[in-house]
Amino acid sequence: MLILLTNWGMPSLSGSEQWTRNMVKTFKKLGHKVDLYLRSQGRGPITKELSEEGINIYYENDIPKKNYDIIFANHTSCIQNIIKFHNKNKIIQTVHGLSKVAGNYWNEERPFPDLFKYISITREVQQLLLINYKIKSTLIPQSVDCNRFNVKKPINDKLKNVLFIGKGKKAWGNIIEVCKELKLNLTKAGVHTKGILNMENEINKNDLVISMARGAYEALACGRNVISYESRYNTQPHGHGLIKSEKDIENALIDNFTGRSLKEDGFMNKEQLKKEFLKYDKKYGDIARKYMLENLNTIDICKKYIELSEK
C-alpha cells in the first residue's frame, strides 16, 4: 500500500513528532511504502533520521501528487494544503486533542469537514467530536513500539531514581520537594526543543517516571512505575496518580493520562503527590509492560489503521 502521512512540522521532539516517527517506521516495517508531508519547513532530529532511512519528506508548497492508496492526516492545515490535489475520500484524519486551553480549541486539531473517516486517540476526543462537530470517529489509542521501548534494565525493588518528562513549573516544584524529602535521585527530560531523541534510554535509567500523554505511554512500555501528573497551560498540578493496574491504565487512557476527566478530583498538591510516590511497587512495572504489549504495541495499532482504511 502507498501511504502518505502528514504533520504540521517536525522541528522538535514533542509528542506529535514522536507519534509520527513511530507510525512512519512501523508502516514501513509492515511492508508499505510511506511518504511524509509537513506543512511547515520545521526540521529537526526526526526529519534528519527519517530522511537518512529513505523516507521521502515533502515540505510546505511541495505537495506530493502521487496516487496514494490512503492518506493518514494529522492537523487541519495539512489537509487544507493537500486537498487541492487529493480526494477527500482517501483521507483519514487522526484527532489527538480537543481539550479546551484558555477557552479555545487548538485550531490544528479541529476536524476538517467531510473526510473519508476520522480517528480519535482517546474517548475524551471521540465524545468531543460527536458533541461539538456531530462527527463519528473510530477510537484507536496512541501506541508505542514495544521493541524499541522495552525493559533494558529492571527497576529497583526500592524506589531510588525518578524521571520527570514534562514542563509544568508547578508540578516540577512539587516533584523536587517530594524527592528531597524522600532522598531520591531526580532528573528531568523536557519536551519540544529540549526533548531527547532516544527517550527509551533515559527512561530505563529510572524506576519511576512522572509524565502525561506520550511520556507515560513510553514509560509503561519500558516496565517502569508511572505517575500521571503535570501542570501545563498554567493549571494546578493534576493527574491520575500512580498507575497500579490494567483498570488504572484504561481510566487514564480516557484523557491521554492528563487527569482532565477527573476534574477537581484529579488535583494533587505536594502531600498528595508524596502519597503516590510511597505506593511504588516493582510489580506495577510488570503489569504496565504486559498491558502495552497486548494492547498498545504500534505494530498492532498500525494494522488497525490499515484495516479501517479498507472498510
Side-chain angles (χ1 to χ4, degrees), residues 261-277:
S261 63
L262 302 175
K263 299 181 180 179
E264 289 81 4
D265 290 339
F267 293 142
M268 274 187 280
N269 59 29
K270 189 202 78 173
E271 291 305 317
Q272 290 168 316
L273 176 63
K274 185 176 179 179
K275 290 179 181 178
E276 298 302 305
F277 272 67

Side-chain angles (χ1 to χ4, degrees), residues 53-86:
E53 293 179 6
I55 300 298
N56 295 318
I57 304 179
Y58 301 85
Y59 297 88
E60 285 190 301
N61 295 323
D62 181 23
I63 299 168
K65 302 175 181 65
K66 299 177 186 178
N67 185 24
Y68 292 102
D69 295 301
I70 194 68
I71 298 171
F72 294 122
N74 290 334
H75 305 138
T76 296
S77 64
C78 295
I79 301 171
Q80 289 170 341
N81 286 359
I82 65 172
I83 206 75
K84 302 167 189 174
F85 303 99
H86 296 282

Side-chain angles (χ1 to χ4, degrees), residues 28-64:
K28 184 179 177 183
K29 189 183 296 183
L30 287 170
H32 301 288
K33 294 181 179 179
V34 189
D35 290 343
L36 178 61
Y37 169 71
L38 304 178
R39 187 262 302 165
S40 77
Q41 280 288 338
R43 307 176 191 221
I46 294 177
T47 55
K48 181 176 183 293
E49 178 191 66
L50 293 178
S51 293
E52 290 172 351
E53 293 179 6
I55 300 298
N56 295 318
I57 304 179
Y58 301 85
Y59 297 88
E60 285 190 301
N61 295 323
D62 181 23
I63 299 168

Side-chain angles (χ1 to χ4, degrees), residues 140-194:
I140 304 180
Q142 281 209 55
S143 63
V144 175
D145 180 348
C146 291
N147 288 329
R148 177 183 160 210
F149 287 88
N150 58 32
V151 184
K152 297 179 180 179
K153 179 183 176 183
I155 60 176
N156 291 302
D157 293 330
K158 183 179 178 181
L159 177 59
K160 294 180 181 179
N161 304 306
V162 178
L163 171 67
F164 176 51
I165 305 174
K167 62 177 183 177
K169 292 181 180 179
K170 295 177 182 178
W172 178 234
N174 287 344
I175 293 166
I176 290 173
E177 289 190 34
V178 171
C179 286
K180 282 182 179 177
E181 290 178 13
L182 298 178
K183 296 180 172 56
L184 301 171
N185 302 316
L186 173 63
T187 55
K188 181 181 181 183
V191 295
H192 302 306
T193 54
K194 295 183 180 179

